[in-house]
Amino acid sequence: MWFFRRKGPSGFSSSSTAEEVTQGIDASGLTAIVTGASSGIGTETTRVLALRGAHVIMGVRNMAAGKDVKEAIVKEIPTAKIDAIELDLSSLSSVRKFASEFNSSGRPLNILINNAGIMATPFMLSKDNIELQFATNHVAHKSSKEGRIVNVSSEAHRYPYREGIRFDKINDPSGYSSFAAYGQSKLANILHANELAKRLKEDGADITANSLHPGAIVTNLFRHNSTINGLVHLLGRAVLKSVQQGAATTCYVALHPQVKGVTGEYFSDSNLAKPRPQGQDLDLAKKLWDFSMDLVK
């Protein structure tokens, strides 16, 4: 569609694909972790990073699906370097096991892409008794200090609960809204990246942390709402991004030289964007950091 072709200052637009935004970039020698890599934009992000030479570690809950994705990518790109490690983001013990297994490999970590997420689920608690969307989309992605850190957020961060983060009601089913809870978790992605960027700067680390909106994409994220899911698949090809376009901003922030040294920012359509004011609230980001650290103890 015509409005997809408007290029921003980066030279890219919402119609740009992940391959286009990484054209000519050599990622050889880099190791990247991509969570939620067995479907949707996680798979495409994995494919394009591997295409550019990065060694990609797929964090996947379903190892059989991960194996299928790996085999399909290697069949297309025989030089691809890909491994899969089991990772269930609804379980902190699984997150710790994944981190331990990766650390035992002795590989440096250059790029961490927190891509995995769930959307608009009925009220449920994670294996650690934390509201499922907040646990999966935010808490499990409390990041280590390595290279470029990329949090895949969403424009849904503009529609959280009125107070932004319901610190005193995270696990309270009363007043629960599946979409507001999703917005809350995506707002948390932005605040987490901002606070992490601030702390890394203070430590003098040459590591960036940013967040992004991948765009509205035809994926299985809407599976918990049959009406919206039906509309998405009916109208999707006409008004939504393809998976190749949806993975573009992630790959841009993870690899492009234009983003070198840029930290604590929010991106959309492979260009700088502005989150809602709550997403720029330093006090809220600090409060969320402390709150989240208590949850993962």
Side-chain angles (χ1 to χ4, degrees), residues 34 39 45 54 74 92 99 101 127 151 192 213 232 259 267 275 282:
V34 181
S39 65
T45 298
V74 171
L92 289 175
E101 190 169 341
K127 294 172 183 176
N151 283 357
H192 169 235
H213 169 55
V232 163
V259 190
F267 291 81
L282 299 180

Side-chain angles (χ1 to χ4, degrees), residues 122-283:
F123 181 82
M124 290 182 276
L125 296 179
S126 72
K127 294 172 183 176
D128 303 287
N129 293 314
I130 304 170
E131 189 276 310
L132 190 63
Q133 293 192 80
F134 193 75
T136 303
N137 296 350
H138 168 62
V139 174
H141 284 142
K142 294 293 291 180
S143 308
S144 59
K145 301 177 180 179
E146 301 288 349
R148 289 192 189 188
I149 297 168
V150 183
N151 283 357
V152 178
S153 180
S154 167
E155 280 292 277
H157 83 274
R158 300 186 188 279
Y159 309 102
Y161 294 107
R162 181 182 54 78
E163 61 269 48
I165 309 290
R166 299 204 312 175
F167 292 106
D168 57 342
K169 297 180 180 178
I170 284 293
N171 296 336
D172 188 349
S174 64
Y176 176 80
S177 161
S178 60
F179 282 100
Y182 179 67
Q184 171 181 248
S185 70
K186 295 289 100 179
L187 174 61
N189 290 156
I190 296 172
L191 292 169
H192 169 235
N194 293 352
E195 180 66 14
L196 182 58
K198 174 176 169 286
R199 288 169 181 261
L200 291 169
K201 274 185 179 179
E202 290 171 352
D203 289 347
D206 186 18
I207 303 162
T208 61
N210 294 292
S211 57
L212 63 91
H213 169 55
I217 309 152
V218 181
T219 72
N220 63 357
L221 267 181
F222 298 96
R223 63 187 177 277
H224 294 288
N225 188 303
S226 58
T227 301
I228 293 179
N229 194 47
L231 286 172
V232 163
H233 286 86
L234 178 65
L235 304 174
R237 294 189 182 280
V239 299
L240 301 182
K241 286 186 177 183
S242 67
V243 169
Q244 291 76 18
Q245 293 166 334
T249 306
T250 302
C251 290
Y252 173 78
V253 177
L255 285 184
H256 205 284
Q258 290 177 353
V259 190
K260 181 176 175 59
V262 177
T263 193
E265 296 288 354
Y266 177 68
F267 291 81
S268 180
D269 297 333
S270 300
N271 282 276
L272 281 169
K274 285 291 183 187
R276 66 173 289 162
Q278 279 181 319
Q280 303 171 70
D281 187 325
L282 299 180
D283 292 334

